[in-house]
């Protein structure tokens, strides 16, 4: 029996009543659909799209997190919808072309970041869309692009459909997804629901406990001893007061606590720096332990080798040096190189794969590994057996000599897997979601994962069109066992809480008109399902702003959150809301890389059009005379250490009359092993030598507030937004200094010293290396670089 609908091709979609019922419900109210993998979430979406098009309610926007998944959904729509040609938007479609296509297309399938960019740049609006589908909706938390798109869609009389197989086990996370997307009802089906059971194929899950070799245990004992030593140090500094086993989660919590204390200042700062180093070292040793317990000796050796290179490199961390130089670690390294044995899991994988092909020659198998090093070992082992045709399937990022796979190559490999050129995928987490991988006969977990979402996604790669099997390898008496039971427990809790949530949402929301969930309701529902105390999903803070209007004198201005003032003090203070932008649109040019930040989204929320361009100078251009370089604290310190900072600021100053450096974030004097004196000296140089104002902000919201206010002032004065900036009017001495600053390794201070010593630009150009070295701060390297530039012939490219 097939679905009958004027917008769906005849005899093409099997009619399953649970899909029809869910779609019918989703056509009336914004809905989160939770269905097991392989149960047809995309078909539900197709049914909803067909009804929207039939009633001519408006356009449809279908969002998916990856390009391959976008193309998969577009192909599905083409195959089954009548007279529908969806437009596909990814980063490969240029902004100008997208601007035209937005107007013409009825169905657009896109990655979310593309839509975010076009909304921020005002290339499109969402008021023409009757339906937005968020595939893999569990991602709609934090600052993921889905959240911003849904926020922009709020207030428009349209539908939202979220689809996922695994929204998570934490009540607040599920509620956060619902709230962020404007969801007012949840449709849940499990493999045990009566209307789903007829379509469910059996999945047999078997776990195998793998013994750890005695030689491995010797290394594990040494590493545990070193790890406990660092934990003991942390206890000495006031952390880990209980005697319970310390996990990676505990270590990361301590890291946040240390950073917070350092940012506050005061107290025993030196002790906190020692604690930070001990924490970082503990993390490194803990990771080494995980590798030898669950992955094998090769993975451990590769990791320790990389750490050794890090420890011996310039600017290496104290933690890396501490670990590598520890005598016990040196002993562990020696033992590792003496062992000519891989983890027994490798052999178990090979046996399970051979057994499956013996039972069914045309089988398709996926082996999931958490680490790339392990995937290479498994792939090499399987390739040595006749009839087994494995291929490695990893993400796009390259790591040293290990090159990643482009999305195009990923799609090709999946097609080869379907066609039988390969019959085993040895995959990292990239194959868990977002790719159209065909149903397999067997899925092997090289190691269990503690995440219930990832466990469900891995397991969902089998049992789609026929019965399937899952084998989970667990190294005995290691963290593998804890991870396995953690995921089992979380999955049970997720299913229980989803059903309770459906009931509670009905009580709280389904009275009167459909609407989004309020923050109060989130708290009430969360308390009912999980009564333990917890932080609210959304934290609110108020920020008071201080604005310094002196345009001539550079200054450091602090916009960080202030205490509340009395109403009398606030009278007469300009607020951003006083600057109405309804009548005229403000515009800012932002570097393309800034579109990955939250600042541009916040500017869009304020009604400012932000145009994306690849800028050679500055991150934000507010007018033809005013430009801003934005540095988060970590980036500021990194650029200070690697030398980028002053060259960037030199270019900024030469291009714009009013250059500004925005320093965003907390803990400037507590993040890295750089002395306070060096950081403060750099700030002083930026102000006095470069004549650049520095403004400090706590977060992206304060940065956006500042940019919006400065942009409004420039706009009101009729200043156009210009990329190059005005040619700065310089005095003769300033122009001479500017010329000398262009020489390699020459800062503003060195340029002044050179001019004072030699008296003219001409004399500097004629000086030899020995004469240049007479100037304080000029060494052999800088002197040679200057002479090379001046004396060498011009080589035209």
């Amino acid at each position: 029996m097939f679905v009958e609908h004027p917008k769906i091709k005849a005899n093409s979609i099997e009619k399953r009543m649970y899909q029809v019922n869910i779609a019918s419900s989703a056509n009336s109210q914004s809905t989160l659909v939770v269905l097991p993998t392989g149960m047809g979430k995309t078909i539900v979406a197709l049914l909803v799209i067909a009804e929207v098009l039939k009633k001519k309610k408006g356009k449809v926007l279908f969002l998916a997190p990856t390009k391959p998944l976008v193309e998969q959904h577009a192909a599905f729509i083409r195959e089954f919808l009548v007279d529908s040609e969806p437009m596909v938007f990814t980063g490969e479609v240029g902004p100008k072309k997208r601007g035209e296509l937005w107007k013409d297309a009825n169905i657009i399938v896109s990655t979310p970041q593309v839509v975010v960019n076009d909304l921020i740049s005002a290339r499109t609006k969402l008021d023409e869309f009757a339906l937005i589908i968020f595939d893999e909706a569990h991602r709609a938390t934090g600052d993921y692009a889905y959240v911003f798109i849904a926020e922009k869609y709020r207030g428009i009389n349209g539908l939202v459909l979220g689809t996922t197989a695994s929204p998570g086990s934490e009540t607040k996370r599920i509620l956060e997804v619902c709230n962020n997307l404007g969801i007012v009802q949840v449709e849940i089906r499990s493999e045990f629901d009566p209307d789903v059971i007829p379509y469910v194929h059996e999945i047999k899950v078997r776990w195998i406990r793998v013994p750890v070799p005695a030689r491995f245990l010797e290394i594990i004992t040494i590493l545990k001893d070193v790890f406990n030593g660092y934990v003991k140090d942390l206890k000495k500094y006031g952390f880990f007061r209980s005697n319970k086993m310390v996990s990676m989660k505990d270590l990361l919590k301590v890291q946040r606590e240390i950073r917070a204390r350092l940012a506050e200042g005061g107290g025993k700062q030196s002790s906190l720096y020692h604690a930070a180093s001990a924490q970082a070292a503990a993390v490194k040793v803990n990771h080494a332990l995980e590798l030898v317990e669950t992955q094998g000796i090769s993975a451990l050796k590769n990791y320790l080798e990389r750490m050794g290179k890090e420890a011996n490199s310039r600017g290496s961390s104290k933690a890396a040096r501490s670990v590598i130089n520890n005598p016990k670690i040196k002993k562990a390294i020696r033992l590792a190189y003496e062992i000519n044995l891989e983890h027994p899991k490798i052999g178990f994988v090979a046996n399970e794969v051979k057994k499956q092909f013996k039972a069914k020659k045309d089988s398709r198998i996926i082996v999931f590994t958490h680490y790339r090093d392990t995937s290479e070992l498994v792939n090499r082992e399987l390739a040595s057996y006749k009839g087994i045709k494995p291929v490695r399937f990893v993400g796009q990022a390259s790591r040293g000599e290990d090159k990643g796979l482009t999305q195009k190559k990923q799609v090709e490999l999946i097609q080869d897997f379907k066609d039988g050129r390969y019959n085993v995928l040895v995959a990292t987490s990239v194959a868990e979601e977002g790719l159209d991988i065909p149903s397999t006969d067997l899925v092997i977990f090289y190691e269990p994962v503690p995440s219930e979402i990832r466990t469900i996604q891995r397991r969902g790669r089998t049992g789609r069109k026929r019965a399937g099997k899952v084998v989970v390898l667990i190294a005995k008496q290691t963290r593998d066992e804890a991870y396995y039971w953690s995921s089992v427990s979380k999955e049970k809790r997720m299913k229980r809480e989803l059903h309770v949530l459906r009931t509670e949402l009905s009580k709280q929301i389904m009275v009167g008109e459909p609407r989004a969930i309020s923050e109060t309701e989130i708290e009430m529902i969360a308390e009912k399902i999980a009564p333990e105390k917890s932080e609210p999903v959304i934290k609110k803070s108020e920020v008071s702003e201080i604005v310094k209007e002196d345009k001539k004198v550079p200054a450091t201005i602090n916009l960080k959150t202030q205490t509340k003032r009395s109403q009398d003090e606030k009278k007469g203070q300009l607020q951003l809301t006083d600057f109405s932008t309804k009548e005229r649109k403000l515009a800012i040019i932002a570097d393309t890389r800034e579109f990955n930040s939250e600042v541009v989204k916040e500017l869009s929320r304020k009604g400012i059009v932000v145009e994306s361009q690849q800028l050679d100078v500055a991150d934000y251009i507010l007018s033809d005379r005013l430009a801003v370089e934005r540095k988060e604290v970590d980036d500021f310190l990194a650029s200070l250490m690697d030398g980028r900072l002053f060259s960037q600021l030199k270019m900024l100053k030469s291009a714009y009359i009013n250059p500004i450096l925005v320093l965003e974030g907390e803990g400037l004097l507590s993040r890295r092993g750089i002395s306070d004196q060096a950081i403060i000296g750099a700030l002083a140089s930026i102000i006095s030598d470069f004549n650049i104002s520095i403004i400090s902000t706590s977060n992206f919201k304060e940065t956006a507030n500042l940019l919006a206010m400065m942009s409004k002032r420039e706009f009101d004065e009729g200043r156009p937004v210009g990329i190059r900036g005005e040619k700065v009017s310089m005095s003769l001495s300033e122009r001479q200094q500017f010329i000398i600053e262009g020489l390699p390794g020459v800062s503003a201070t060195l340029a002044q010293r050179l001019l004072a010593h030699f008296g003219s630009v001409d004399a500097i150009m004629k000086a030899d290396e020995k004469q240049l070295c007479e100037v304080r701060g000029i060494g052999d390297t800088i002197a040679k670089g200057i002479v090379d530039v001046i004396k060498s012939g011009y080589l035209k490219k």
Side-chain angles (χ1 to χ4, degrees):
M1 192 173 180
F2 296 96
V3 171
E4 294 180 5
H5 193 284
K7 286 291 181 180
I8 295 176
K9 293 176 182 177
N11 303 323
S12 62
I13 299 290
E14 179 188 9
K15 187 173 185 179
R16 297 185 179 184
M17 286 314 299
Y18 72 90
Q19 293 172 344
V20 172
N21 292 337
I22 292 172
S24 175
S25 179
N27 266 305
S28 61
Q29 299 180 99
S30 292
T31 305
L32 176 66
V33 175
V34 183
L35 272 176
T37 301
M39 288 292 102
K41 294 183 293 295
T42 310
I43 291 175
V44 171
L46 187 81
L47 295 172
V48 177
I49 292 171
E51 192 63 17
V52 167
L53 295 179
K54 174 189 169 186
K55 294 181 178 179
K56 298 182 179 178
K57 291 182 178 179
K59 298 182 176 184
V60 174
L61 178 58
F62 199 142
L63 298 170
T66 65
K67 180 188 170 188
L69 197 51
V70 163
E71 291 175 342
Q72 172 191 329
H73 289 322
F76 188 83
I77 290 168
R78 286 190 204 100
E79 184 177 355
F80 294 108
L81 277 187
V82 173
D83 299 327
S84 293
E85 181 54 42
M87 291 291 180
V88 173
F89 284 0
T90 64
E92 294 179 2
V93 182
K96 188 174 180 181
K97 186 177 180 182
R98 289 200 307 268
E100 299 166 0
L101 295 175
W102 276 110
K103 302 170 187 174
D104 304 327
N106 283 326
I107 303 175
I108 291 174
V109 190
S110 178
T111 51
Q113 192 57 52
V114 168
V115 178
V116 168
N117 292 351
D118 286 351
L119 288 171
I120 290 171
S121 299
R123 292 188 193 95
T124 189
K125 293 181 178 179
L126 297 177
D127 49 8
E128 293 182 352
F129 288 87
L131 170 67
I132 299 183
I133 299 167
F134 296 89
D135 191 29
E136 308 290 358
H138 56 272
R139 289 172 173 252
T141 60
D143 59 2
Y144 190 67
Y146 279 179
V147 178
F148 181 75
I149 295 167
E151 179 187 324
K152 287 288 187 179
Y153 195 54
R154 239 167 248 151
I156 296 170
N157 189 24
L159 288 172
V160 167
L161 176 64
T163 62
T164 182
S166 45
S169 63
E170 295 181 9
T171 303
K172 289 224 168 183
R173 182 182 175 91
I174 300 168
L175 289 165
E176 185 184 0
V177 169
C178 292
N179 189 51
N180 287 342
L181 296 182
I183 297 296
V184 297
Q185 69 174 354
V186 180
E187 284 285 348
I188 305 163
R189 298 291 189 280
S190 75
E191 56 268 40
F192 305 111
D193 284 321
D195 53 352
V196 177
I197 286 174
Y199 307 101
V200 174
H201 299 285
E202 183 184 14
I203 298 177
K204 291 183 179 178
V205 179
R206 182 165 57 96
W207 50 275
I208 300 174
R209 296 183 74 222
V210 179
V212 178
R215 298 292 303 276
F216 284 34
L217 292 174
E218 191 176 351
I219 294 174
I220 289 169
T221 300
I222 293 171
L223 292 177
K224 281 184 176 178
D225 189 33
V226 175
F227 177 77
N228 291 334
Y230 288 121
V231 170
K232 187 177 179 181
D233 287 344
L234 288 168
K235 286 181 178 179
K236 185 175 68 177
Y237 294 121
F239 303 97
F240 299 136
R241 292 178 179 82
S242 70
N243 290 322
K244 76 179 187 69
M245 186 174 164
V246 174
S247 66
M248 181 63 80
K249 185 177 180 180
D250 298 324
L251 288 171
L252 295 177
K253 184 179 178 182
V254 165
Q255 181 187 55
R256 291 192 294 271
E257 191 176 340
I258 292 171
R259 284 185 173 181
R261 289 192 197 177
L262 284 169
E264 289 170 3
K268 297 180 179 179
Q269 293 283 296
S270 61
S271 295
L272 286 174
Y273 283 120
H274 288 308
S277 181
Q279 183 274 339
V283 167
K284 291 179 183 295
V285 178
N286 187 60
H287 183 61
L289 260 171
E290 178 173 358
L291 292 177
V292 70
E293 286 181 349
T294 70
Q295 304 299 307
I297 290 296
S298 289
L300 175 67
K301 288 193 289 192
N302 289 341
Y303 175 63
L304 292 173
E305 187 178 325
R306 288 194 294 268
M307 199 195 307
K309 288 180 180 177
E310 178 193 346
N312 293 321
S313 65
R314 184 182 176 186
S316 63
S317 68
K318 183 180 178 182
R321 295 195 302 273
S322 170
V323 173
I324 287 297
N325 292 327
N326 187 306
K328 292 177 181 178
I329 293 293
K330 289 181 177 180
K331 182 180 179 182
I333 294 172
R334 179 174 54 79
L335 288 173
Y337 278 91
E338 290 174 358
I339 297 174
N340 187 24
L341 174 71
E342 280 306 333
H343 203 291
K345 284 184 180 181
I346 298 285
F348 278 87
V349 170
N351 288 337
E352 291 299 319
V353 170
K354 287 189 289 184
K355 194 189 303 180
Q356 178 61 37
F357 281 122
K358 187 176 180 180
K360 186 173 181 290
K361 287 186 178 180
D362 62 345
S363 290
R364 295 291 184 274
I365 299 171
I366 298 181
V367 181
F368 279 109
T369 72
H370 187 64
Y371 295 100
R372 280 194 179 189
D373 288 346
T374 306
S375 71
E376 177 61 37
L377 279 175
V378 172
N379 190 70
R380 196 185 311 143
E381 175 70 17
L382 293 178
S384 66
Y385 296 98
K386 186 178 180 181
I388 301 177
K389 298 173 286 184
V391 64
R392 248 174 118 231
F393 194 84
V394 299
Q396 297 178 64
S398 295
R399 295 170 186 172
E401 296 180 2
D402 186 7
K403 301 300 180 185
L405 300 177
T406 64
Q407 289 185 331
K408 182 180 178 182
K409 185 62 177 176
Q410 288 173 353
V411 172
E412 288 176 5
L413 287 180
I414 290 169
Q415 188 60 50
D416 289 340
F417 184 60
K418 288 179 182 177
D419 296 341
R421 182 181 174 189
Y422 303 111
N423 52 21
V424 180
L425 280 186
V426 184
T428 56
S429 60
V430 69
E432 291 172 356
E433 71 166 6
L435 292 167
D436 182 22
I437 296 177
S439 182
T440 59
D441 302 279
L442 171 65
V443 170
I444 298 176
F445 290 32
Y446 187 86
E447 68 285 288
V449 286
S451 163
E452 76 287 359
I453 293 176
R454 292 181 60 197
T455 298
I456 290 168
Q457 288 168 336
R458 283 186 174 192
R459 192 176 62 230
R461 292 304 182 185
T462 190
R464 293 188 174 194
K465 297 179 180 179
R466 54 188 180 271
K469 291 183 286 188
V470 173
V471 172
V472 183
L473 301 180
I474 302 172
K476 282 184 180 179
Q477 297 180 333
T478 69
R479 66 196 67 206
D480 270 359
E481 294 186 340
Y483 287 170
Y484 175 76
W485 292 113
S486 174
S487 68
V488 169
S489 173
K490 288 176 182 176
E491 186 176 347
K492 286 180 179 177
R493 188 165 75 239
M494 180 188 78
K495 290 177 179 177
R496 182 181 69 248
E497 294 190 358
L498 275 171
H499 285 283
V500 176
L501 175 62
R502 176 167 55 181
T503 304
E504 292 300 327
L505 284 175
S506 297
K507 291 178 185 176
Q508 293 285 332
I509 296 168
M510 303 312 295
V511 179
E513 291 298 313
R515 55 187 172 80
I517 313 165
S518 70
E519 189 174 339
T520 303
E521 287 166 338
I522 286 178
E523 293 300 319
M524 290 172 62
I525 296 169
E527 286 294 326
K528 193 165 290 190
I529 298 174
E532 66 270 15
K533 294 287 182 182
S534 53
E535 291 294 319
V537 173
I538 302 169
K539 293 184 178 179
K540 297 178 180 177
S541 60
E542 293 184 21
V543 178
S544 298
E545 297 163 349
I546 305 171
V547 180
K548 183 160 183 174
E549 297 188 30
D550 189 342
K551 298 178 183 176
K552 295 180 180 178
V553 182
T556 300
I557 306 172
N558 196 319
L559 291 185
K560 294 181 180 176
T561 306
Q562 308 292 317
T563 55
K564 289 187 177 179
R565 302 176 188 174
S566 67
Q567 291 300 315
D568 290 339
E569 288 178 308
K570 286 188 177 181
K571 285 180 181 178
Q573 179 184 335
L574 289 174
Q575 300 294 326
L576 196 61
T577 51
D578 296 328
F579 299 134
S580 173
T581 59
K582 291 181 179 178
E583 295 179 5
R584 298 178 295 173
K585 283 285 185 184
L586 298 179
I588 291 175
I589 295 174
D591 185 67
T592 51
R593 288 163 294 192
E594 282 295 304
F595 271 67
N596 294 320
S597 77
E598 289 296 299
V599 175
V600 291
K601 295 178 187 175
E602 191 66 19
L603 289 169
S604 178
R605 292 184 184 106
K606 297 177 183 300
I608 296 174
V609 176
V610 185
E611 183 184 344
S612 170
Q613 292 196 29
Q614 191 166 340
L615 301 177
D616 293 326
V617 178
D619 291 319
Y620 294 92
I621 298 174
L622 310 185
S623 73
D624 57 348
R625 66 179 181 183
L626 178 58
V628 173
E629 180 74 20
R630 169 181 165 267
K631 293 283 187 190
E632 293 181 357
V633 165
D634 282 339
D635 183 38
F636 174 81
L637 295 173
S639 63
L640 180 60
M641 291 182 72
D642 63 23
R644 285 180 292 123
L645 179 65
F646 291 110
S647 61
Q648 288 174 337
L649 295 180
K650 188 185 294 186
M651 291 171 66
L652 181 68
K653 177 62 180 175
S654 68
Y656 291 90
I657 290 177
N658 294 337
I660 292 175
L661 172 64
V662 170
L663 194 51
E664 182 182 303
E666 305 283 357
L668 177 63
L669 301 179
S670 64
R671 291 286 182 93
R672 281 174 170 265
I674 307 177
S675 71
D676 294 359
Q677 188 174 0
I679 295 170
I680 294 168
L683 296 175
S685 174
I686 293 166
I687 294 171
S688 60
D689 296 340
F690 288 86
N691 208 35
I692 294 176
S693 298
I694 303 173
I695 303 178
S696 177
T697 64
S698 288
N699 50 50
F700 70 88
K701 287 190 176 182
E702 291 182 7
T703 300
N705 279 344
L706 172 69
L707 295 175
M709 190 171 289
M710 291 191 296
S711 175
K712 175 66 173 62
R713 293 173 68 87
E714 294 297 286
F715 184 72
D716 285 347
E717 291 186 18
R719 306 293 308 195
V721 180
I723 292 182
R724 291 188 178 180
E726 295 180 357
K727 292 291 183 182
V728 180
S729 178
M730 296 182 184
S731 65
L732 177 60
S733 61
E734 286 174 334
R735 191 163 294 282
Q736 288 171 324
Q737 181 178 326
F738 179 74
I739 291 169
I740 299 306
E741 283 179 28
L743 295 171
V746 177
S747 65
T749 301
L750 287 179
Q752 291 169 357
R753 289 177 187 168
L754 284 164
L755 286 164
H757 181 84
F758 289 101
S760 69
V761 172
D762 181 62
I764 295 171
M765 297 299 180
K766 292 176 179 176
D768 58 27
E769 291 181 31
K770 185 178 179 181
Q771 291 170 318
L772 289 169
C773 286
E774 294 173 1
V775 177
R776 185 164 59 91
I778 302 290
D780 292 341
T781 303
I782 294 178
K784 185 177 185 305
I786 292 172
V787 171
D788 284 348
V789 166
I790 295 170
K791 305 294 185 187
S792 298
Y794 175 61
L795 299 175
K796 187 176 181 180
K797 289 185 178 181

